[in-house]
Amino acid sequence: MTSASPKGISILLVDDHPIVRQGYRRVLESQRDFQVVAEAEDAASAYNAFKALSPDVVVMDISMPGASGLEAIRNIRARGGRARILVFSMHSEASLVKAAFNAGAGGYVTKSSEPAVLIRAIRSVAHGERAMSDDIAQVLALESLAPSGSALDQLAEREIEILRQIAAGATNEEVAQNLNLSLKTVQNYHYMIKVKTGLKTDAQLVRLATQCGLTES
């Protein structure tokens, strides 16, 4: 993946809501040097579009049916180690933001931000720079000053993704299918999530996920 070409910045827009994609596509293409070359509605189609088109920047939502944006970031970065990904999400919880950056995102902007913030962030990420909206920067700053971190800090990105799916009601079998993992592997992850968080039941895991913003609001 190279830096943005002189002809402009090519963008893959990933969000599971067609109306949302349509609105943001208009915003982005109002910039003369932006071109939305593809849209995707889930992690699998995002990966396939990236593989086919190698866009300069992927603008990625986190919350999607099945595998989330975290999993899409992991897969895209595994294929293109220099892929440039900007998370654009309604969620601003520190645990999710850190998981997104750990998975390989280059920036994180909330959907409550002004369009100009998104546009600036895309330009920054396209040039290999880190970008955050002001609210995300504040969340991370406050979290760094907290006397103790979230229980999610003990989990790897894949474990956070599995916890998110369990909290959404997915069975181990469904998680395995969504993430192309064996059932035994998911069961092992499920067990280790409980060990690392010190929780005993799935109901407690759901409460934790809800408190940390992993579930849909």
Side-chain angles (χ1 to χ4, degrees), residues 62 70 91-102 108 139-140 143 149-157 160 163 208-214:
I62 285 287
L70 290 177
H91 295 292
S92 60
E93 291 77 10
S95 55
L96 267 182
V97 176
K98 291 190 293 184
F101 281 126
N102 288 339
Y108 200 114
V139 164
L140 291 182
E143 195 274 343
S150 164
L152 262 61
D153 289 344
Q154 307 302 316
L155 305 183
E157 296 83 51
I160 290 175
L163 173 59
L208 172 64
T210 300
Q211 291 166 359
C212 294
L214 293 184

Side-chain angles (χ1 to χ4, degrees), residues 189-210:
Y189 273 122
H190 196 158
Y191 171 76
M192 285 307 302
I193 290 167
K194 289 180 177 177
V195 170
K196 289 183 177 182
T197 59
L199 301 178
K200 304 296 184 184
T201 69
D202 284 355
Q204 291 173 322
L205 292 180
V206 171
R207 283 196 294 273
L208 172 64
T210 300

Side-chain angles (χ1 to χ4, degrees), residues 40-58:
E41 64 181 5
D42 54 35
S45 58
Y47 175 77
N48 289 334
F50 176 84
K51 183 170 61 173
L53 298 169
S54 295
D56 295 316
V57 178
V58 181

